[in-house]
Amino acid sequence: MLKKLMTLAAGAVAAAVTACGDAPRTTVRYRDPAGSFQFMQWAASRGPVLATLHGTAFAGESPERTAEVALGAMGRAIAEYKTLRFTTDPAQAGDRRYHVTLAFNAPRRVSGRALCRGEVPPEEPGERLTVLAVFCEEDRVLTDVAGSVGGDPEDLTLDSERFRQLMVQVSQSLFRDKP
């Protein structure tokens, strides 16, 4: 009986460690020394922040639905600024000088500056869903973030909690000046 319990416990520990490897993670690749929170506040006070999405997060999902889910999670991520909203329509943006670009499954070598300038990166899907995210003032990088999430492709979907957690972490990394 003890051996069976130890085997079950070892299996649970292995599953937990594996799940941690699949967890969302982000890395700030660059942050302007002046920070980005004040710029986000300014842009968001003028109306929705312009956002552009490149690449395919999930096959079979429309770009509009991907934008709705990803940008919705990002907008709710900054609790201290409750009116953060995004739009993919330039005519609805409050101050088009400030914009966010998300590039799903882009190579990590793609620079934030290239994304700020509007360059469309190639897609290179791998074992984890990746996203490069930049917050820009025109073509100037304010924050550059790389994120990823792994796991069973059957369980990782646009509606999965892990994807939403990734987008929350991306938003927090883009706009919070302190970790």
Side-chain angles (χ1 to χ4, degrees):
M1 180 68 154
L2 181 60
K3 185 175 181 179
K4 186 175 183 179
L5 286 174
M6 289 177 63
T7 302
L8 288 173
V13 168
V17 169
T18 299
C20 288
D22 295 340
R25 53 185 168 223
T26 57
T27 303
V28 176
R29 301 190 315 172
Y30 172 78
R31 181 179 322 279
D32 187 278
S36 59
F37 190 78
Q38 66 186 356
F39 294 106
M40 178 275 296
Q41 284 181 301
W42 167 260
S45 73
R46 301 295 180 246
V49 176
L50 183 60
T52 303
L53 282 71
H54 299 296
T56 306
F58 299 100
E61 291 288 356
S62 71
E64 295 80 15
R65 180 144 157 54
T66 300
E68 176 186 335
V69 173
L71 298 173
M74 289 177 66
R76 292 184 296 276
I78 308 297
E80 60 272 27
Y81 198 83
K82 297 187 185 317
T83 59
L84 178 58
R85 293 176 297 125
F86 297 93
T87 182
T88 57
D89 181 355
Q92 292 181 5
D95 185 341
R96 285 178 272 175
R97 292 178 305 152
Y98 295 94
H99 55 99
V100 168
T101 298
L102 303 176
F104 291 103
N105 291 317
R108 195 169 172 107
R109 67 184 177 273
V110 172
S111 74
R113 186 169 174 99
L115 292 173
C116 283
R117 286 192 308 252
E119 295 178 23
V120 178
E123 283 188 69
E124 289 182 5
E127 290 185 20
R128 295 175 64 85
L129 171 66
T130 63
V131 61
L132 299 179
V134 291
F135 178 44
C136 312
E137 179 184 24
E138 296 176 333
D139 66 352
R140 179 177 148 226
V141 178
L142 297 172
T143 315
D144 179 352
V145 173
S148 69
V149 64
D152 182 349
E154 296 293 319
D155 296 332
L156 183 61
T157 66
L158 189 58
D159 296 311
S160 69
E161 186 60 27
R162 277 183 296 145
F163 177 69
R164 290 176 198 256
Q165 288 173 350
L166 172 64
M167 299 319 300
V168 164
Q169 286 181 8
V170 164
S171 187
Q172 291 173 345
S173 295
L174 279 177
F175 302 122
R176 285 204 171 129
D177 293 334
K178 296 178 184 169

